[in-house]
Amino acid sequence: MRAGEIVGLAGLDGSGQGQRAMPATTHDLVALMFGQQPPQPERPASQIGAPILRLVDAHLRSERLDMRCSITMRAGEIVGLAGLDGSGQGLLMRACAGLQPLLGGRVLVDEVDLTGHPYRGFLQHGVVFGAAGRLEEGLIAGLTLTEHVALTMNREMLIDWPAARQRVADQIQHYAVRGRPDDRIEQLSGGNQQRMLMALLPERPRLLALEQPTRGLDVESAAWIWKQLLARREHGAAILFSSAELDEILTYSDRIIVFYAGQMFEVPDARSTSVEELGYLIGGAFVRGQQVAAESGGATR
């Protein structure tokens, strides 16, 4: 179905209206859903600049994990984080944004030591965090689109409502949000909530740390989100993101960091691996390899 209408049928006997017999391929279904096959995204060209963020010998702990890690993010770089949920990706990203306290180590943004500073301090230095839970953490249920924009515009006691209404009208048009200024945010679909989140992001961030930025979105909406992210990257932003879709990680990442039970393994060039290899690493293959090497007196990467 597309826009409330049946646009194609496929039967097990091949009797569908101009469609091949089931099971239909992903290509067939996507073409029917969107009226055309969206173009395959190409790996974006990399122009890596100076370091923006350094997490140095960080000691992080949650109820399930106790991990130590270091990472450097450079201008224009995209780093994808792969792993089962709860393997450590969230701890790392939140530490990079000042949302996860460090038990040890330091975090520096443009060589300014922000260890122990709250998220507001990181935000002032251009570090922006996007949570996987759109309504749980990213947006505020019950508030309208205009009120969300007003929150990002105003740092004073009084709100300039005419300016906020003009701003939200401009953003709705620019980001093609299917909603009205006075709609509550929970009235929008998941894809339009994500578009509104993009509209609320700064245009020139230094670092975007994003948990599953395309979770639950269709192919077309996901491609649109990445178009907006890559536009910010062209202005020098670094992007640190997690995703459950390994194809997405391979398509957009310059480097990949794989997590397994709080341990990290870096793939320094995303072009050198595949979905199958990532799957093995996510399952802990690199940890088992280290254990075998230790037992035999050898070493692994």
Side-chain angles (χ1 to χ4, degrees), residues 114-159:
L114 296 183
T115 307
H117 286 230
Y119 175 60
R120 175 64 63 185
F122 283 76
L123 188 61
Q124 291 172 347
H125 282 80
V127 178
V128 180
F129 176 77
R134 288 185 283 265
L135 287 178
E136 293 81 1
E137 293 185 83
L139 300 165
I140 305 174
L143 294 190
T144 67
L145 276 59
T146 301
E147 290 167 337
H148 276 85
V149 168
L151 287 175
T152 65
M153 289 177 57
N154 202 277
R155 296 291 180 267
E156 305 297 334
M157 293 295 292
L158 299 178
I159 296 175

Side-chain angles (χ1 to χ4, degrees), residues 2 25-38 219:
R2 184 172 70 243
T25 65
T26 300
H27 182 282
D28 296 332
L29 294 175
V30 170
L32 284 170
M33 289 168 63
F34 299 106
Q36 60 182 352
Q37 179 68 23
V219 175

Side-chain angles (χ1 to χ4, degrees), residues 105-218:
R106 297 185 301 155
V107 56
L108 299 95
V109 178
D110 290 326
E111 297 306 315
V112 177
D113 193 336
L114 296 183
T115 307
H117 286 230
Y119 175 60
R120 175 64 63 185
F122 283 76
L123 188 61
Q124 291 172 347
H125 282 80
V127 178
V128 180
F129 176 77
R134 288 185 283 265
L135 287 178
E136 293 81 1
E137 293 185 83
L139 300 165
I140 305 174
L143 294 190
T144 67
L145 276 59
T146 301
E147 290 167 337
H148 276 85
V149 168
L151 287 175
T152 65
M153 289 177 57
N154 202 277
R155 296 291 180 267
E156 305 297 334
M157 293 295 292
L158 299 178
I159 296 175
D160 186 345
W161 287 110
R165 293 187 185 96
Q166 182 60 54
R167 173 71 173 170
V168 75
D170 293 342
Q171 295 297 75
I172 286 173
Q173 181 177 8
H174 180 74
Y175 288 95
V177 178
R178 294 184 178 178
R180 296 168 298 183
D182 293 331
D183 286 345
R184 294 190 305 276
I185 195 67
E186 65 268 25
Q187 293 178 271
L188 274 59
S189 67
N192 283 292
Q193 288 174 7
Q194 197 73 358
R195 286 174 182 261
M196 198 62 208
L197 271 173
M198 292 301 304
L200 297 173
L201 291 180
E203 290 296 328
R204 299 289 181 92
R206 296 290 285 151
L207 171 69
L208 291 171
L210 306 173
E211 290 183 329
Q212 303 188 43
T214 63
R215 186 181 71 170
L217 303 186
D218 58 65

